[in-house]
Amino acid sequence: MERPRGGRQSHVVKSRRAISLPSLAALTTLLLAPGARACPLCAAGLRAQVHAAIFDGSFAETLAMTALPFGVLAAILAAILAGPRRGRGRRD
Amino acid sequence: VIDMSDRKSEASQRPLIAAGTALGIGMGGFVDGILFHQILQLHNMLSAVRPPTTLVDVEINMFWDGLFHAFTWGMTAVGIALLWRAARIATAPLKTRAFVGSLCLGWGLFNLVEGIIDHHVLGIHHVVERPDHLLFDLAFLASGALLIALGSWLARSAR
């Protein structure tokens, strides 16, 4: 008796895998959907409340406060890159 | 006689020192953000003015923590670009001691500058949000000063 060829068999396995992966992804998405819908951050009003609190009148001020240390550090870095301007070299 | 070799050596190492300093600032920022903000949850960006006691306040702090991480990421990206530039300059020696020293220098600069501005001047958060936060804030500044001293010594000794 002749055994089925490996090439044909692997082709069938590949096709099955190709079908099963999207199916598995779809099934996972469907299973996780109720969990995602139950997300407390997506619940009524909360997202809008957070958005309003972040982008209120103090947004620019808070952004400036968050960025300030990085501005100072960038200035120090620029000074290092440009190099300290020494008036005179070391003398023996 | 002016010691020109010392000045030349200093100038040639500048690209590497600048790159290491930028990367050190980025690494220091990530230590703060990942370790203190997220893993240990000692503080958040606005935890002194908006304590994360409600879900809304947690979300708001998370947003500003994200922006802090974005700035830190930007500084790290600048460091990578500067390191690439230093590696392409034929006259810039790539000395490990100078690089490690500049990483320490950058980390120390981050702790010192961020500590002074955010913890002491603006007071938007402290290292730990408890009544005796001053001790921890000062320890954070001291760690910055120590890292700067260590980094400067390592970078100078590499010349």
Side-chain angles (χ1 to χ4, degrees):
Chain A
M1 280 180 66
E2 222 175 274
R3 294 173 66 185
R5 286 182 184 177
R8 166 90 181 136
Q9 202 172 12
S10 68
H11 178 71
V12 170
V13 170
K14 269 183 190 172
S15 304
R16 277 186 189 160
R17 198 174 286 166
I19 295 166
S20 65
L21 275 176
S23 312
L24 194 66
L27 188 67
T28 310
T29 309
L30 282 172
L31 285 172
L32 290 178
R37 286 185 67 141
C39 165
L41 304 179
C42 312
L46 190 61
R47 195 166 212 163
Q49 226 179 314
V50 171
H51 189 271
I54 291 169
F55 298 101
D56 60 359
S58 63
F59 177 78
E61 189 190 338
T62 313
L63 182 64
M65 287 196 295
T66 307
L68 185 60
F70 292 95
V72 173
L73 288 165
I76 294 171
L77 191 64
I80 291 171
L81 201 59
R85 297 276 172 258
R86 288 180 184 173
R88 284 167 188 267
R90 207 168 63 192
R91 288 174 188 276
D92 289 338
Chain B
V1 179
I2 297 169
D3 189 352
M4 292 300 285
S5 64
D6 200 32
R7 292 178 72 182
K8 255 187 191 171
S9 167
E10 183 190 320
S12 64
Q13 278 189 39
R14 203 171 290 156
L16 182 66
I17 300 279
T21 305
L23 285 170
I25 292 168
M27 298 294 278
F30 281 131
V31 167
D32 188 342
I34 295 168
L35 187 67
F36 294 159
H37 292 215
Q38 293 174 325
I39 296 174
L40 299 177
Q41 298 180 11
L42 294 176
H43 65 257
N44 294 102
M45 202 60 212
L46 304 178
S47 51
V49 289
R50 200 182 261 275
T53 47
T54 64
L55 193 53
V56 172
D57 288 333
V58 167
E59 280 293 294
I60 292 163
N61 271 289
M62 200 183 286
F63 174 84
W64 291 107
D65 282 353
L67 272 182
F68 167 79
H69 275 127
F71 287 125
T72 308
W73 185 91
M75 197 56 89
T76 309
V78 168
I80 293 169
L82 288 173
L83 188 62
W84 179 253
R85 180 174 167 265
R88 288 170 64 95
I89 299 172
T91 54
L94 298 178
K95 291 182 180 172
T96 305
R97 210 177 169 87
F99 185 58
V100 172
S102 57
L103 284 174
C104 292
L105 180 67
W107 190 354
L109 279 171
F110 174 84
N111 285 9
L112 200 66
V113 171
E114 196 268 346
I116 290 171
I117 294 175
D118 286 347
H119 306 167
H120 297 276
V121 178
L122 300 174
I124 51 176
H125 66 251
H126 302 285
V127 176
V128 286
E129 297 299 354
R130 15 191 271 198
D132 60 341
H133 57 76
L134 184 64
L135 191 69
F136 295 92
D137 290 345
L138 291 175
F140 191 72
L141 291 185
S143 75
L146 272 174
L147 281 164
I148 289 172
L150 175 69
S152 302
W153 174 72
L154 280 171
R156 277 176 197 277
S157 66
R159 278 181 204 157

